[in-house]
Amino acid sequence: MLKEENIALANYRIEKAKACLKASKILLDDECYSDSANRSYYAIFHAINALNALDDVGFKKHSGVMSNFNQKYIKTDIFEKEYGKIANSAFEIRKDNDYADFYVVSKNEVIEQHESAVKFVDRINKHINNEIKKASE
C-alpha cells in the first residue's frame, strides 16, 4: 500500500523533473550546451528519485540512485534496457561535464540527451501514475 506522503513526494519530484526539462530546452535553444546537459541529467535524476519516493527509499549519492534504478527497474525488466542506457549515459556526461578538465559536450550530444530525457521522464511519469492508480483500486 502506498503512503500518501510517498505519493505526494513522487509527484513533487516528477514536477521537478519537468521543470529541469523546461530549463534544459531553454538553455539548449540559447546554445548553453553544458548547462543544458546538466539540466537534462537532473530531469532524469529527479524522475528516478520519484520512483524512489514510491518505494520509500533514499540514497545519499547519485551513484546509489543510479545503481538502485539499474538493479530494481532495469535488471528486473520493469523498464526496458534502453532507459538504463539513457540514465547511465546522462550520469556519465554529467560527471565529465562537471568534473573533467577540458571536457566539452557537443551540441549533438546535448540535443540527443535532451530528447532522451524527455522520453525518460514521460515513461517514468506514466509508470508512477499507473502505480498510484493500482494502489487506489
Side-chain angles (χ1 to χ4, degrees):
M1 185 83 190
L2 295 176
K3 299 177 197 170
E4 281 299 315
E5 59 265 21
N6 294 75
I7 292 170
L9 183 56
N11 286 327
Y12 171 76
R13 288 176 175 173
I14 279 293
E15 291 308 311
K16 280 184 82 169
K18 291 175 184 177
C20 287
L21 288 176
K22 183 177 180 181
S24 172
K25 178 68 171 136
I26 291 167
L27 291 162
L28 177 60
D29 291 345
D30 205 28
E31 299 180 3
C32 298
Y33 303 128
S34 177
D35 294 327
S36 176
N38 180 278
R39 293 294 83 201
S40 289
Y41 165 74
Y42 274 97
I44 292 167
F45 177 78
H46 291 308
I48 294 171
N49 268 328
L51 290 172
N52 291 338
L54 285 188
D55 294 337
D56 202 22
V57 297
F59 300 91
K60 291 184 180 194
K61 295 185 175 188
H62 288 239
S63 58
V65 171
M66 293 299 164
S67 177
N68 182 69
F69 176 71
N70 285 314
Q71 288 289 344
K72 178 157 186 178
Y73 291 97
I74 301 301
K75 288 190 177 181
T76 60
D77 294 323
I78 293 171
F79 293 111
E80 299 80 3
K81 295 200 182 327
E82 164 189 16
Y83 292 94
K85 291 176 184 172
I86 289 170
N88 293 331
S89 174
F91 180 62
E92 291 302 317
I93 289 172
R94 199 257 331 167
K95 280 195 320 184
D96 290 343
N97 197 27
D98 287 353
Y99 302 112
D101 291 329
F102 306 112
Y103 180 81
V104 178
V105 64
S106 74
K107 177 181 178 178
N108 289 337
E109 283 177 303
V110 175
I111 290 169
E112 181 180 328
Q113 183 166 322
H114 175 76
E115 291 170 353
S116 293
V118 168
K119 181 178 180 177
F120 189 96
V121 171
D122 182 58
R123 177 71 174 89
I124 299 295
N125 190 38
K126 286 178 182 168
H127 176 82
I128 287 172
N129 288 336
N130 287 337
E131 291 299 305
I132 293 170
K133 183 179 175 186
K134 282 194 300 189
S136 68
E137 294 175 348

